[in-house]
Amino acid sequence: MIGHNIKEFDLPILEEHGALILPGFIWDTLEIEMLLNPQRFSYGLKTKHKALADAELTYSLFKNQVARIIISQTLWKEVSDLLPEQFSKLLEQIRHNPCWQLLDKDYLNEQSDAFFRPTPEKKYLPEQTVRELTNKLEEEGQKIIIAPEFLWDTLSHYYNFTFYSDGHLLSFPLNEEKVDSNLADNPLLRMMLIRLIKTCSLEGKQPYLHHLPVVIQQKLTKEQIKEICDNTNSSSPYNPETTLCISPTDVESLEKHIHSSTGNLKVIVIGYELEQITSKIQLRQDLDFAFLFERLKNEPVWLQMSGGKSFIGLEQAYCRLLGVEEFPRFIQNIWLEKMGGGKLRLWCNQDFKAIINHLFPDDVYYIHWKEDSTVKTNSYLVRPDFKESGYIAEQKRVNPESFYRRSYWLYQFKLFEGIGSSDKPKVLILNDESETENLSAYARKRILHSRYTGFYYQATRMVT
């Protein structure tokens, strides 16, 4: 019996109806594919949701998997003992046929991709950034890479960096010895991870847990993750043979590695201009409107907060009135932002370049994150012409946290209609589910008087 995800989906249903299940005769193409290619982004088949077509697709995948296993001596040695018993016996009988060697391994691997939903391209790194960074890494001497954490995932797909952080997923690389010893009771999962580790080694990259497909990660418990991964956090000993990557705001780690370096340290800073505009640190727990009013009602800044703005800059003196006594080093901006539900949040950011100049006054090389020119055909910027209409959004208080919800949604629908004609669906995101019912009724009324023919509301909660 052959099926995709048959063990977890189909077989329990068949057993409920009295079917006798013999494990040695069951070939789960999902399980086998995770074993053969533990780096695949998605294991979902390109099904047509028609029984016959989907069955034929699964059978074609089965034949592809059999061929990939048989023609590779290395793969056969690694996985033959993990195959269903009866299938393993059958493959042992037929694998010595010399005709198998006529098949092309690369072709079969490419063919396997056609069975599954498209895999997104590797995390995009601008070509000019790649050239500059590669050239600097080829120079002699110890190196430290300083880059914003949101760029780490992309960098990890290109370079063999060691990422130092407390809690970041890329600070947990898989350790082959630990996997081998701690997953001995689950040989299938053990081999999936070992094959991933070996593949990453051949590519010159770290086998990070984060790079495992989600469906394989879900097979691991938290305790198992601790047992099979190393943890390269900020307290780990410094290894001069590795190239470290550290967040620009992790000042303590930066200072530690300055003192532990043996000289000729090269500092490469990537994307500092992005860090300047995206980094922010929360200074205290969320504030409610009543607390803010009590503390700032007699201050000039209160007049600015009472308008329709979503955020406003603050000085440290005002922050102290709000109960903040300690501030990060190299602080640059402080601001208060409305978060919805009557809550406000106090943020700050740090001067990235000041941190670098303080720690590394010499021999710092900056690499900009230069995006290649692209044409975006699905992005629109729509705004009213206030000279023609006299409509100024800020004066009308139609920001997302506005108490004037009717005005806000009227404004949003007007912007929505300004996108232009298109047969592609348009998505309006709600921050507050409690508005769904009223907004749906409002949408129905507008449909009667607009070019739109209908709308769809996703009732189930979406998890990102």
Side-chain angles (χ1 to χ4, degrees):
M1 186 180 293
I2 303 166
H4 199 69
N5 198 26
I6 189 173
K7 289 186 176 180
E8 294 190 9
F9 184 78
D10 303 86
L11 295 188
I13 297 175
L14 293 174
E15 285 183 308
E16 289 179 1
H17 289 78
L20 177 62
I21 306 301
L22 301 175
F25 290 86
I26 305 299
W27 183 288
D28 191 329
T29 52
L30 171 61
E31 185 178 84
I32 298 299
E33 190 62 33
M34 288 191 290
L35 183 61
L36 300 184
N37 186 356
Q39 288 185 300
R40 190 176 292 284
F41 175 81
S42 172
Y43 294 93
L45 295 179
K46 290 181 180 177
T47 55
K48 297 181 179 180
H49 301 291
K50 295 181 180 179
L52 179 59
D54 293 351
E56 290 174 343
L57 178 67
T58 303
Y59 181 54
S60 296
L61 173 59
F62 162 72
K63 292 187 290 184
N64 173 273
Q65 291 175 340
V66 167
R68 287 152 65 194
I69 293 171
I70 288 179
I71 67 171
S72 172
Q73 292 292 331
T74 302
L75 190 55
W76 173 259
K77 291 178 181 178
E78 289 180 342
V79 308
S80 58
D81 292 339
L82 302 174
L83 300 176
E85 182 181 359
Q86 298 303 317
F87 283 96
S88 183
K89 291 179 180 179
L90 177 61
L91 297 190
E92 177 63 38
Q93 295 174 12
I94 66 175
R95 76 183 189 90
H96 297 291
N97 188 324
C99 293
W100 287 108
Q101 300 310 314
L102 299 176
L103 299 178
D104 182 80
K105 177 182 176 181
D106 292 335
Y107 169 76
L108 290 172
N109 288 330
E110 290 179 8
Q111 184 191 52
S112 70
D113 294 336
F115 296 106
F116 298 93
R117 293 170 187 165
T119 299
E121 294 183 5
K122 184 168 57 175
K123 300 289 185 177
Y124 177 68
L125 190 62
E127 291 185 7
Q128 185 169 340
T129 304
V130 172
R131 287 195 299 270
E132 287 190 60
L133 180 54
T134 301
N135 290 337
K136 295 303 293 184
L137 291 173
E138 291 174 352
E139 297 179 1
E140 295 183 359
Q142 299 179 37
K143 303 173 186 69
I144 285 184
I145 307 296
I146 302 177
E149 286 196 10
F150 62 82
L151 297 180
W152 286 10
D153 188 33
T154 301
L155 292 171
S156 71
H157 284 83
Y158 285 81
Y159 299 100
N160 186 20
F161 293 159
T162 297
F163 296 89
Y164 267 50
S165 175
D166 292 321
H168 196 284
L169 290 174
L170 286 172
S171 61
F172 294 97
L174 294 164
N175 181 302
E176 185 172 357
E177 292 183 3
K178 293 180 179 180
V179 169
D180 196 37
S181 61
N182 289 292
L183 294 181
D185 59 342
N186 191 337
L188 187 66
L189 181 57
R190 168 185 162 276
M191 183 52 65
M192 289 178 189
L193 301 188
I194 287 179
R195 282 185 50 74
L196 173 72
I197 293 171
K198 290 182 176 179
T199 301
C200 290
S201 178
L202 291 174
E203 296 175 351
K205 296 186 296 187
Q206 292 269 15
Y208 289 110
L209 175 72
H210 180 58
H211 291 169
L212 273 176
V214 174
V215 68
I216 298 181
Q217 288 186 39
Q218 291 174 341
K219 295 180 178 293
L220 293 164
T221 65
K222 291 182 179 180
E223 288 302 318
Q224 286 176 324
I225 291 175
K226 293 179 182 178
E227 293 171 346
I228 65 176
C229 290
D230 293 329
N231 186 4
T232 54
N233 57 36
S234 57
S235 60
S236 302
Y238 172 59
N239 181 1
E241 300 299 321
T242 62
T243 299
L244 303 181
C245 186
I246 303 177
S247 169
T249 55
D250 195 350
V251 178
E252 292 182 0
S253 290
L254 290 175
E255 291 177 328
K256 179 180 115 176
H257 293 300
I258 292 172
H259 298 313
S260 60
S261 66
T262 58
N264 194 27
L265 178 66
K266 297 183 182 297
V267 179
I268 304 171
V269 181
I270 305 173
Y272 84 91
E273 71 281 6
L274 299 180
E275 176 72 12
Q276 289 287 81
I277 62 175
T278 59
S279 175
K280 60 183 181 180
I281 302 170
Q282 187 171 350
L283 290 176
R284 57 152 297 159
Q285 64 186 20
D286 289 357
L287 307 163
D288 57 38
F289 191 81
F291 178 84
L292 186 70
F293 177 75
E294 178 62 29
R295 295 300 180 95
L296 299 181
K297 62 183 178 182
N298 296 322
E299 303 297 330
V301 71
W302 178 252
L303 295 176
Q304 301 177 51
M305 285 300 303
S306 61
K309 294 183 178 180
S310 296
F311 60 89
I312 186 171
L314 292 181
E315 298 176 359
Q316 291 190 19
Y318 291 126
C319 295
R320 292 188 175 92
L321 293 176
L322 298 176
V324 179
E325 296 296 336
E326 296 183 0
F327 300 89
R329 297 166 62 187
F330 307 103
I331 196 166
Q332 186 174 29
N333 300 302
I334 305 174
W335 68 96
L336 193 63
E337 182 178 1
K338 294 179 181 178
M339 303 305 296
K343 297 292 184 181
L344 302 102
R345 190 165 296 172
L346 190 60
W347 299 102
C348 78
N349 66 358
Q350 293 174 290
D351 189 337
F352 182 8
K353 210 160 189 176
I355 295 173
I356 303 302
N357 292 336
H358 171 75
L359 297 173
F360 308 101
D362 304 310
D363 203 11
V364 177
Y365 187 80
Y366 288 88
I367 297 178
H368 296 282
W369 193 271
K370 296 180 179 178
E371 296 284 356
D372 298 335
S373 59
T374 56
V375 178
K376 298 182 178 180
T377 59
N378 60 345
S379 300
Y380 301 86
L381 177 63
V382 183
R383 59 185 180 185
D385 185 340
F386 69 90
K387 291 183 178 179
E388 295 291 332
S389 66
Y391 193 100
I392 301 176
E394 191 172 278
Q395 290 183 356
K396 299 293 184 180
R397 300 183 180 182
V398 291
N399 58 73
E401 294 80 24
S402 172
F403 292 112
Y404 304 95
R405 307 311 294 168
R406 184 181 181 87
S407 296
Y408 172 73
W409 285 116
L410 173 64
Y411 184 60
Q412 292 302 308
F413 270 87
K414 284 289 187 181
L415 293 179
F416 219 47
E417 294 168 1
I419 290 176
S421 59
S422 171
D423 57 355
K424 296 180 180 179
K426 300 176 179 63
V427 180
L428 194 60
I429 298 176
L430 278 69
N431 293 328
D432 188 351
E433 289 187 7
S434 64
E435 293 187 291
T436 302
E437 185 176 347
N438 290 336
L439 186 60
S440 297
Y442 180 60
R444 293 189 189 96
K445 292 180 181 178
R446 291 196 65 83
I447 287 170
L448 296 176
H449 306 286
S450 72
R451 63 176 179 276
Y452 297 118
T453 57
F455 75 96
Y456 170 72
Y457 165 62
Q458 177 66 39
T460 56
R461 180 186 296 271
M462 297 180 66
V463 179
T464 58

